[in-house]
Amino acid sequence: MTVNIAIFGSCVCKDIFRSVYNKDYKKFFKVNFMQPRISYISLMNKKVDFQKEELKIEPDTPDNRYATQILDNDLSKNFLELLPGDTDYLLIDMYFEVLFGIIPFEDTFITNNFWDYPKVAFDKRIDHDKYFLINHDYRRYMKQWTKCFDKFYTQMKTRYPDTKIILNKIKMVYEVLSKQGEYYVDEQYKVKANKLNPYIDMLEAYIISNYDVIFIDMTDNIVTDENHIWGKSFVHYNKEYYMKFYEVMQRIINGEQNKYYYVKDDMVCTSAEIPGSLKNVKYTLMKKANEDVKVEKTIEISQKLLDKTRKSRLYKLIKK
């Protein structure tokens, strides 16, 4: 008998259940439903009226039909309506929440899916200048996101009380394993990863601080792999990641009751409860706020020094 898995997240979750990484997964698991590339803020707000023709992508290929369906789901906001009732586990991750963000649209929100919307006629109706990312103003984003995730979790547990939720801890990585088997650092990836990873941590901390989920963190010593089936990307990890995660899923369906799984010294470890140090979202927010204050003070001091320099006699002589 197979266990039914649904996914609201990214390929980080889906690729665990691919034969290229775990060849016998179909003996034990069936991915019965998935919706990727959608923000919780979009999902839990009002549906959008649209015509099917507005989402068509030419030529008519499987990849283009897949992208069309993703946009249809974003506008229809139908995940909770379509999720099969026999789903045993729901896997979620925060990658697209942080990568895409949202766009206000009429009296609702849609996901800022800059991969797919530009391909369709509906894109002409979107004011892309209004897009809003968590790193633009995380306090304002978190206020909206927490409200929507609260609503999502409540409805999940009301509609699907027997479905267990697994939060897949993700990390945007910049160390790369090349096709030749050598390691190097992608400096452009490093800049973006260092900017966005704290916000991923923040969202995850909120969830594990407030809700009953299983938290799986297999991100110790992971890299992005040029040999990945989808190629190099922030979250296309080395094969060992998917194998370890699959090991954890096997342990869970075989009756383990732990809430936290993690890697230490290349071994999968467990804990009956999620450590409090990971749950302290207030500390995370406070730390980030303090960092912002430091940056603001630095800018303020730099501006004062610049103004003072501009007023100096020497500066005026040099300008002449």
Side-chain angles (χ1 to χ4, degrees), residues 308-319:
K308 188 176 180 180
T309 303
R310 284 173 174 166
K311 291 177 183 178
S312 71
R313 183 179 179 186
L314 178 61
Y315 177 80
K316 290 177 180 177
L317 287 172
I318 292 172
K319 288 293 287 182

Side-chain angles (χ1 to χ4, degrees), residues 2 11 52 80 114 142 172 317:
T2 56
C11 55
K52 294 290 186 181
L80 289 167
F114 49 78
M142 285 292 288
M172 297 172 68
L317 287 172

Side-chain angles (χ1 to χ4, degrees), residues 175-184 224 226-227:
E175 187 176 3
V176 186
L177 175 61
S178 73
K179 290 182 178 180
Q180 292 72 38
E182 299 174 347
Y183 294 90
Y184 68 93
T224 178
E226 289 184 351
N227 293 296

Side-chain angles (χ1 to χ4, degrees), residues 257-317:
Q257 300 294 317
N258 295 302
K259 291 294 185 181
Y260 179 46
Y261 293 82
Y262 61 101
V263 175
K264 184 177 181 181
D265 298 328
D266 207 36
M267 297 290 292
V268 174
C269 305
T270 66
S271 174
E273 299 295 333
I274 301 172
S277 59
L278 299 177
K279 293 183 175 183
N280 202 337
V281 68
K282 290 184 179 178
Y283 172 76
T284 304
L285 291 169
M286 188 183 300
K287 183 178 179 182
K288 184 65 183 159
N290 289 339
E291 288 172 358
D292 289 346
V293 169
K294 288 177 184 176
V295 171
E296 289 166 3
K297 284 184 178 179
T298 302
I299 294 171
E300 183 182 347
I301 292 168
S302 299
Q303 188 62 50
K304 286 180 179 179
L305 288 172
L306 181 58
D307 292 342
K308 188 176 180 180
T309 303
R310 284 173 174 166
K311 291 177 183 178
S312 71
R313 183 179 179 186
L314 178 61
Y315 177 80
K316 290 177 180 177
L317 287 172

Side-chain angles (χ1 to χ4, degrees), residues 58-305:
E58 298 294 343
D60 184 22
T61 64
D63 285 348
N64 284 342
R65 288 196 294 273
Y66 180 68
T68 291
Q69 187 59 58
I70 287 169
L71 299 180
D72 189 311
N73 293 337
D74 187 43
L75 300 177
S76 300
K77 309 181 190 306
N78 54 15
F79 179 82
L80 289 167
E81 298 166 17
L82 299 181
L83 181 66
D86 61 351
T87 299
D88 297 298
Y89 295 92
L90 170 64
L91 266 65
I92 63 174
D93 69 73
M94 296 297 115
Y95 181 56
F96 287 117
E97 193 69 56
V98 170
L99 183 69
F100 281 168
I102 54 171
I103 301 177
F105 182 84
E106 295 176 352
D107 59 346
T108 185
F109 293 96
I110 61 175
T111 304
N112 177 35
N113 183 346
F114 49 78
W115 291 359
D116 300 316
Y117 275 119
K119 302 173 185 175
V120 301
F122 184 88
D123 190 62
K124 296 176 182 178
R125 297 172 59 185
I126 302 172
D127 185 352
H128 289 280
D129 290 338
K130 293 182 178 179
Y131 81 100
F132 184 46
L133 306 179
I134 191 171
N135 54 291
H136 288 170
D137 183 344
Y138 77 88
R139 295 179 183 85
R140 190 154 64 95
Y141 198 98
M142 285 292 288
K143 184 176 181 180
Q144 185 68 242
W145 180 84
T146 53
K147 180 175 68 175
C148 291
F149 190 86
D150 293 347
K151 187 177 178 182
F152 168 82
Y153 187 91
T154 300
Q155 290 195 21
M156 266 297 303
K157 286 304 174 182
T158 301
R159 297 186 183 199
Y160 309 97
D162 297 327
T163 300
K164 295 181 180 179
I165 299 177
I166 297 175
L167 174 59
N168 184 0
K169 197 275 175 292
I170 64 161
K171 181 168 65 176
M172 297 172 68
V173 296
Y174 50 81
E175 187 176 3
V176 186
L177 175 61
S178 73
K179 290 182 178 180
Q180 292 72 38
E182 299 174 347
Y183 294 90
Y184 68 93
V185 171
D186 186 312
E187 294 297 337
Q188 288 186 323
Y189 272 34
K190 185 175 182 179
V191 171
K192 192 163 187 177
N194 286 339
K195 179 171 70 173
L196 295 182
N197 276 332
Y199 298 106
I200 294 172
D201 295 340
M202 194 180 295
L203 297 176
E204 292 169 345
Y206 179 82
I207 295 171
I208 63 176
S209 297
N210 293 282
Y211 294 109
D212 181 20
V213 298
I214 300 169
F215 188 40
I216 303 179
D217 180 1
M218 298 288 108
T219 60
D220 187 58
N221 292 325
I222 58 169
V223 297
T224 178
D225 190 352
E226 289 184 351
N227 293 296
H228 192 281
I229 53 172
W230 309 119
K232 171 188 163 188
S233 171
F234 288 109
V235 292
H236 291 168
Y237 303 141
N238 50 298
K239 63 182 180 181
E240 290 79 10
Y241 168 86
Y242 305 104
M243 295 167 68
K244 284 188 174 68
F245 204 110
Y246 184 70
E247 175 191 334
V248 170
M249 291 302 301
Q250 286 279 8
R251 291 165 67 166
I252 290 172
I253 67 171
N254 285 323
E256 279 198 5
Q257 300 294 317
N258 295 302
K259 291 294 185 181
Y260 179 46
Y261 293 82
Y262 61 101
V263 175
K264 184 177 181 181
D265 298 328
D266 207 36
M267 297 290 292
V268 174
C269 305
T270 66
S271 174
E273 299 295 333
I274 301 172
S277 59
L278 299 177
K279 293 183 175 183
N280 202 337
V281 68
K282 290 184 179 178
Y283 172 76
T284 304
L285 291 169
M286 188 183 300
K287 183 178 179 182
K288 184 65 183 159
N290 289 339
E291 288 172 358
D292 289 346
V293 169
K294 288 177 184 176
V295 171
E296 289 166 3
K297 284 184 178 179
T298 302
I299 294 171
E300 183 182 347
I301 292 168
S302 299
Q303 188 62 50
K304 286 180 179 179
L305 288 172

Side-chain angles (χ1 to χ4, degrees), residues 50-56 68-69 72 76:
F50 65 95
Q51 301 297 319
K52 294 290 186 181
E53 291 295 318
E54 292 182 283
L55 300 183
K56 278 194 173 181
T68 291
Q69 187 59 58
D72 189 311
S76 300

